[in-house]
């Protein structure tokens, strides 16, 4: 007996017992073997019929295949034509993509330059802004003092020798 067949019969017997179709283990195995034999013979007969049909169909095809048989040179020519066609198609797509990328970049630069004011706009806007002076607002809470970044903004209390040197207890 085949190991796979034994496993299938065993799993089928377990299923029969779970479903309540068999009273005990032996009865389940006998029923599973009968079911497996019926399906096995049906499968074999259908396989045999299919094999006969395939053989019947295969014999006329051999005659057709011999008439259509291509030489090695013809096959090479066909493959070369296909290769050339594919290469040319890919190159066309690459060129089209390159053109589209260039067009996209030119549109982006046009949009950037449209948002930048031109010299005429600056000249026209300058007299209008000069006619109405803008009031300079100063922050309310802080007094205006000139502070240099190197000199800093510090008081005598901020810089004491005790903060820089620790002498400890003597």
């Amino acid at each position: 007996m085949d190991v796979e067949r034994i496993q299938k019969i065993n799993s089928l017997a377990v299923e029969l017992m779970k479903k309540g179709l068999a009273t005990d283990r032996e009865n389940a195995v006998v029923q599973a073997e009968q079911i497996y034999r019926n399906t096995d013979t049906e499968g074999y007969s259908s396989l045999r019929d299919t094999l006969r049909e395939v053989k019947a169909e295969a014999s006329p095809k051999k005659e057709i295949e011999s008439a259509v048989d291509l030489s090695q040179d013809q096959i090479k020519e066909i493959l070369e034509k296909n290769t050339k066609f594919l290469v040319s198609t890919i190159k066309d797509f690459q060129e089209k993509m390159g053109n589209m990328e260039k067009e996209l970049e030119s549109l982006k630069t046009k949009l950037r330059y449209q948002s930048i004011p031109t010299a005429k706009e600056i000249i026209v806007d300058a007299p209008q802004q000069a006619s109405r002076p803008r009031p300079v607002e100063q922050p309310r809470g802080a007094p205006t003092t000139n502070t240099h970044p190197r000199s800093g903004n510090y008081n005598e209390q901020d810089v004491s020798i005790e903060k820089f040197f620790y002498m400890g207890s003597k």
Side-chain angles (χ1 to χ4, degrees):
M1 247 186 176
D2 189 10
V3 175
E4 292 178 12
R5 183 176 177 193
I6 294 171
Q7 289 177 344
K8 289 179 182 178
I9 291 172
N10 190 21
S11 62
L12 186 59
V14 171
E15 287 295 319
L16 289 172
M17 287 182 62
K18 284 183 183 177
K19 302 290 180 178
L21 298 174
T23 56
D24 60 346
R25 178 81 177 158
E26 292 176 17
N27 188 10
V29 170
V30 170
Q31 288 179 7
E33 285 179 351
Q34 288 175 351
I35 292 171
Y36 187 72
R37 279 191 205 124
N38 290 340
T39 59
D40 189 29
T41 57
E42 289 174 7
Y44 180 70
S45 63
S46 65
L47 180 66
R48 208 173 353 156
D49 294 337
T50 307
L51 183 62
R52 286 181 190 156
E53 292 174 8
V54 169
K55 283 184 180 179
E57 291 176 5
S59 58
K61 287 184 179 179
K62 288 181 182 178
E63 295 172 6
I64 296 171
E65 288 177 6
S66 62
V68 180
D69 191 23
L70 299 174
S71 68
Q72 292 293 330
D73 294 333
Q74 290 174 338
I75 292 173
K76 286 180 182 178
E77 288 176 16
I78 292 171
L79 289 175
E80 286 176 13
K81 287 180 183 178
N82 286 342
T83 305
K84 289 178 183 177
F85 173 74
L86 290 174
V87 168
S88 65
T89 306
I90 291 171
K91 285 183 180 178
D92 290 341
F93 283 136
Q94 286 177 341
E95 289 175 10
K96 288 179 183 178
M97 287 299 294
N99 291 337
M100 291 175 78
E101 287 176 353
K102 289 177 184 177
E103 186 177 344
L104 183 64
E105 286 298 320
S106 66
L107 290 174
K108 283 182 180 179
T109 55
K110 286 180 183 177
L111 282 175
R112 287 184 195 131
Y113 284 124
Q114 284 180 351
S115 63
I116 298 173
T118 61
K120 290 182 181 179
E121 291 174 352
I122 293 172
I123 293 171
V124 170
D125 289 341
Q128 292 175 357
Q129 289 178 357
S131 64
R132 10 173 211 140
R134 271 199 252 156
V136 178
E137 295 182 19
Q138 295 180 355
R140 294 183 183 172
T144 58
T145 59
N146 291 335
T147 59
H148 193 272
R150 286 194 176 186
S151 64
N153 188 12
Y154 53 87
N155 298 329
E156 289 181 21
Q157 292 84 17
D158 295 336
V159 183
S160 76
I161 294 177
E162 287 84 23
K163 290 184 180 178
F164 287 105
F165 300 104
Y166 175 73
M167 305 213 340
S169 59
K170 288 188 176 183

